[in-house]
Amino acid sequence: MERILTYHITEESNQQLISSFLKAQGYSSQNLVELKKMPESVLINNTWTYMNQRLHTGDVLTIHIREEASSEKIPPVELPLDIIYEDEDLLIVNKPAGMPIHPSMNNYDNSLGNALAYYFAKQNKPFVFRCINRLDRDTSGLTIVAKHMVSAGMLSSMVARKGDNQSSETVSYGITREYLAIVRGSIHPSKGTITAPIARKPGSILERQVDFAQGEHAVTHYRTIDEQNGHSLVSLILETGRTHQIRVHMKYLGYPLIGDYLYNPDMEYINRQALHSYRLHFIHPITRKVMDFTAPLPCDMRNVACAQSPWSLPQSE
């Protein structure tokens, strides 16, 4: 993968070290280490230079990213791939339920990683798989994949970043991740914030539980969007990203997701957890443009509603 980034130096950055300037742009320390290993990766006014050189007003700083290796343990496999958006820095993929993110012992050749490895192999391009917001195998919807090390570092930092305002009405995190879930019954109260630490359940490899003694900080904002056929469609916005966070938090609230084989095997209407990564909203890490994407509710979740009255979906704010 190859990417050239160009920065025009203003008075504000005059006399700043290149390394300091790049860190201010969002480059991680690891990014700087990797760039030092690449031949002629840092240039001022088209002349190769070192990270400890100072910038001057009017300089043109060029960063040349070259990644020639691919993820060795991800074999390319031709699989359906729904790419919602792609540019030089990232992809947005609408992942179907049933597709794991990464290959594993029992899912070696049916993952999103396999599909993307094939996609780039067809273009004769190397590709290191860097999925930013990982979804459970049976969770459908939008996920971000970084195309090079710099965008990966910036996007990962954005996922980890917390907003200053903790209100569910005005969340403003680095990346807003909105999910849609279906539970049985009416939720009371209809909106709120779940703040409950999550830890691995003793004796289980997979299951998590709320654990106020040993759990990791976890916060989920929720609100009911619609009620149909004895079920509620819920919008959930993650402030943190713990394993199974939404599934565990909704069970803790008393309204577990239907179809969830681990936490609520209510399979009357659906055979997987009724959870969909519906919306991603963020500032592009390189171009600084506002990015906003939604993915339609999949058929199995739509079918839980009354046939005569489809689910009402949340409006972008």
Side-chain angles (χ1 to χ4, degrees), residues 3 83 101 104 118 129 171 201 209 233 244 261 284 312:
R3 178 72 161 107
I83 296 176
I101 290 289
S104 61
Y118 180 85
F129 185 41
V171 288
K201 184 176 181 179
Q209 65 181 14
L233 181 68
H244 298 176
Y261 74 98
H284 193 289
S312 299

Side-chain angles (χ1 to χ4, degrees), residues 95-99 101 134-142 179-180 247 257 272-277:
K95 185 188 81 67
M99 174 181 274
I101 290 289
R134 299 181 183 89
L135 304 179
D136 294 338
R137 181 193 64 192
D138 289 333
T139 298
S140 57
L142 298 177
Y179 291 75
L180 295 178
R247 298 160 67 184
L257 276 55
R272 55 104 175 180
Q273 67 252 15
L275 184 61
H276 178 65
S277 176

Side-chain angles (χ1 to χ4, degrees), residues 98-115:
M99 174 181 274
I101 290 289
H102 293 280
S104 61
M105 184 178 299
N106 297 319
N107 296 281
Y108 186 64
D109 57 3
N110 62 338
S111 72
L112 179 62
N114 297 120

Side-chain angles (χ1 to χ4, degrees), residues 15-22 32 36 42 44 48-56 61:
Q15 294 297 319
Q16 194 171 18
L17 294 176
I18 293 175
S19 57
S20 299
F21 174 83
L22 293 177
L32 301 189
K36 290 177 182 178
V42 180
I44 294 180
W48 173 78
T49 189
Y50 293 98
M51 289 281 185
N52 61 359
Q53 294 298 305
R54 294 191 180 276
L55 296 165
H56 299 90
L61 173 64

Side-chain angles (χ1 to χ4, degrees), residues 97-98 136-140 180-185 231-232 244 247 250-251 255-276 300-301 304:
D136 294 338
R137 181 193 64 192
D138 289 333
T139 298
S140 57
L180 295 178
I182 299 174
V183 303
R184 193 180 287 267
H231 293 76
S232 296
H244 298 176
R247 298 160 67 184
M250 290 306 293
K251 181 178 180 179
Y255 302 93
L257 276 55
I258 62 172
D260 191 332
Y261 74 98
L262 271 181
Y263 302 107
N264 181 38
D266 176 358
M267 307 294 184
E268 181 180 358
Y269 288 87
I270 193 170
N271 291 319
R272 55 104 175 180
Q273 67 252 15
L275 184 61
H276 178 65
D300 59 355
M301 290 181 65
V304 177

Side-chain angles (χ1 to χ4, degrees), residues 202-214:
S204 174
I205 297 175
L206 294 177
E207 285 187 78
R208 266 62 175 177
Q209 65 181 14
V210 168
D211 185 336
F212 284 93
Q214 300 182 25

